[in-house]
Amino acid sequence: MERRVGTVSRGIRCPIIREGDNLVAITVDSVLEAAKSEGFELRDRDVIALTESIVARAQGNYASIDAIAADVKAKLGGETVGVIFPILSRNRFAINLKGIAMGCKKVVLMLSYPRDEVGNALLTYDQLDEAGVNPYSDVLTLEKYRELFGENKHEFTGIDYVSYYSDIIKEAGAEVEVIFSNQAKTILDYTDCVINCDIHTRVRTKRLLKNAGARVVCGLDDILNTPVNGSGYNTKYGLLGSNKSTEDKIKLFPNECKDLVLDIQSAILEKTGKHVEVMVYGDGAFKDPQGKIWELADPVVSPAFTDGLIGTPNELKLKYLADNDFASLSGAALKEAISNSIKSKQDNLVGNMASQGTTPRQLTDLIGSLCDLTSGSGDKGTPVILIQGYFDNFTTE
């Protein structure tokens, strides 16, 4: 019988994960128990995905604000430090800021405007237009910002992040000065020791600051990239991708976890004879059209994945074929013609008009976004996702 279902994404309920838990056994058992319970079978090229949160928790990859403070002081000297381009987030950055401030005498906080890197708004472009402010060139002091724009609360959280971040710094024992600029070099008018907190533009920002004469430049990826007094750490990403755990502790992005995905792949093959792909995922890579917030606050969507998930889709656009190449056909003849085109398609469709409009993104970014939407970020209790049929096409039986 012809298959009538394409891609299916299932949230898999699992036990609450604690430090030291065997994630390979828990993941494999949970997926196989779900399959038995719901009456489906695993297939070759199914994708099993684990949220980064449970991986880091099983690793015990946590650190205190004291560890952050110690690392900041050691690397930046403990005097006046510029903290530039942070995102506006209670979960993602506020506790990191507390630790950073504890390692300094003064923080010069430089905020990008009207939005942060991932789209959280301080202001609207309409406000800038009405005030005659050019965000590409103008530098605003806190006093000028308040004079022009007053208090501005985040659309979803109801927080004035300018006040919120300032209070965090002062409560940590440091002096604070707030400025607003979108030019990295602006901070060098205030201090030559800088922590650039941007995520996806961090390499360029570091280069601009170093070329402009900064004495010390650290990204968030350079803080806690090694253990401090036995703390957790992340060799590649440091504080990037971290989340608040408690009022004085963070959970870092999972450290090396390629072995984990390979071990799960091997265990599934041993138990079922099926060759699945496995990945760890964090934030999906998508933008909210209402709030204009881009979801990706992690440095990457997937920090670890099996080799079958390398690359981008290689797909033909069915509506293009139907409206152009086979516009004169319909019914069974149209289906046969399109099926034959799919079966004979080249391995690389770059430049082929019949592939226009397909999604030119990494498979891990696309699948990770689907996983993130499926698992949610609250109380669904499904930190493992099983995706079936993702690599099927119109001709798959």
Side-chain angles (χ1 to χ4, degrees):
M1 181 178 178
E2 182 181 10
R3 276 179 58 185
R4 309 299 294 179
V5 176
T7 302
V8 175
S9 180
R10 291 183 172 92
I12 306 298
R13 290 185 177 175
C14 298
I16 303 299
I17 304 301
R18 294 295 190 188
E19 180 176 350
D21 283 351
N22 184 338
L23 264 190
V24 175
I26 290 173
T27 301
V28 171
D29 289 347
S30 296
V31 169
L32 296 182
E33 287 168 6
K36 182 178 179 180
S37 172
E38 297 297 315
F40 63 85
E41 295 182 353
L42 295 186
R43 304 176 188 142
D44 288 327
R45 299 216 76 189
D46 285 353
V47 179
I48 296 173
L50 298 78
T51 181
E52 59 84 19
S53 176
I54 63 170
V55 178
R57 278 158 56 196
Q59 290 178 341
N61 203 17
Y62 293 88
S64 69
I65 54 175
D66 291 329
I68 297 173
D71 209 24
V72 167
K73 187 172 183 179
K75 290 175 177 174
L76 290 110
E79 299 295 324
T80 299
V81 174
V83 175
I84 73 172
F85 303 154
I87 64 172
L88 307 177
S89 172
R90 294 168 297 176
N91 177 46
R92 288 288 190 170
F93 187 71
I95 192 166
N96 287 334
L97 180 60
K98 184 177 180 180
I100 290 169
M102 288 168 58
C104 310
K105 288 184 178 178
K106 178 179 178 179
V107 171
V108 181
L109 179 65
M110 191 172 91
L111 301 173
S112 55
Y113 73 98
R115 294 175 177 271
D116 70 10
E117 181 184 6
V118 297
N120 292 293
L122 280 175
L123 304 164
T124 67
Y125 281 100
D126 289 339
Q127 286 176 289
L128 296 183
D129 293 342
E130 291 169 6
V133 172
N134 183 346
Y136 302 103
S137 59
D138 292 350
V139 178
L140 304 178
T141 62
L142 177 59
E143 292 72 25
K144 189 63 176 178
Y145 172 88
R146 291 300 190 197
E147 175 190 330
L148 292 173
F149 307 113
E151 183 183 67
N152 292 274
K153 294 184 177 181
H154 190 280
E155 177 182 4
F156 298 126
T157 65
I159 289 176
D160 181 320
Y161 276 94
V162 177
S163 295
Y164 179 53
Y165 279 3
S166 296
D167 289 345
I168 287 173
I169 294 168
K170 287 183 284 189
E171 289 168 5
E175 184 184 347
V176 60
E177 182 174 0
V178 182
I179 58 174
F180 303 82
S181 176
N182 292 308
Q183 299 295 326
K185 291 183 289 185
T186 299
I187 194 63
L188 300 181
D189 294 333
Y190 300 82
T191 179
D192 59 2
C193 295
V194 185
I195 301 175
N196 64 293
C197 303
D198 45 341
I199 305 164
H200 307 292
T201 55
R202 64 188 184 275
V203 174
R204 177 175 183 264
T205 299
K206 288 181 189 179
R207 172 174 56 80
L208 291 173
L209 289 170
K210 289 176 180 177
N211 290 346
R215 183 164 58 90
V216 182
V217 181
C218 289
L220 287 181
D221 53 331
D222 298 310
I223 307 299
L224 289 191
N225 56 0
T226 57
V228 174
N229 300 323
S231 73
Y233 65 100
N234 189 294
T235 305
K236 189 172 184 179
Y237 297 118
L239 290 178
L240 289 177
S242 62
N243 286 272
K244 178 179 180 179
S245 175
T246 69
E247 293 302 321
D248 59 2
K249 187 169 68 172
I250 61 168
K251 178 196 67 61
L252 292 127
F253 210 47
N255 229 327
E256 297 296 333
C257 46
K258 184 64 180 267
D259 287 348
L260 171 67
V261 297
L262 292 173
D263 288 346
I264 292 172
Q265 185 182 56
S266 296
I268 290 289
L269 181 63
E270 180 180 345
K271 288 179 176 289
T272 69
K274 302 300 180 182
H275 182 88
V276 301
E277 304 297 343
V278 184
M279 64 182 284
V280 176
Y281 71 95
D283 277 346
F286 48 84
K287 185 175 181 178
D288 166 29
Q290 174 64 33
K292 314 301 182 189
I293 297 171
W294 186 35
E295 175 71 9
L296 187 54
D298 285 327
V300 291
V301 172
S302 178
F305 46 88
T306 50
D307 289 350
L309 297 177
I310 296 172
T312 60
N314 191 55
E315 300 174 343
L316 294 170
K317 197 76 169 180
L318 296 193
K319 66 181 181 182
Y320 180 90
L321 295 174
D323 292 345
N324 291 272
D325 294 20
F326 308 120
S328 63
L329 301 178
S330 61
L334 176 60
K335 179 180 179 181
E336 182 179 3
I338 288 179
S339 296
N340 289 336
S341 293
I342 293 171
K343 291 175 181 178
S344 61
K345 67 183 177 182
Q346 300 172 350
D347 291 336
N348 187 344
L349 294 171
V350 173
N352 187 323
M353 286 297 290
S355 69
Q356 66 177 337
T358 57
T359 309
R361 291 167 57 188
Q362 296 296 316
L363 288 168
T364 49
D365 294 344
L366 291 165
I367 297 170
S369 297
L370 175 57
C371 291
D372 190 26
L373 288 167
T374 302
S375 61
S377 57
D379 57 7
K380 294 184 184 299
T382 56
V384 172
I385 305 298
L386 173 66
I387 298 176
Q388 298 190 290
Y390 191 85
F391 295 101
D392 291 356
N393 60 45
F394 187 62
T395 69
T396 305
E397 298 296 334

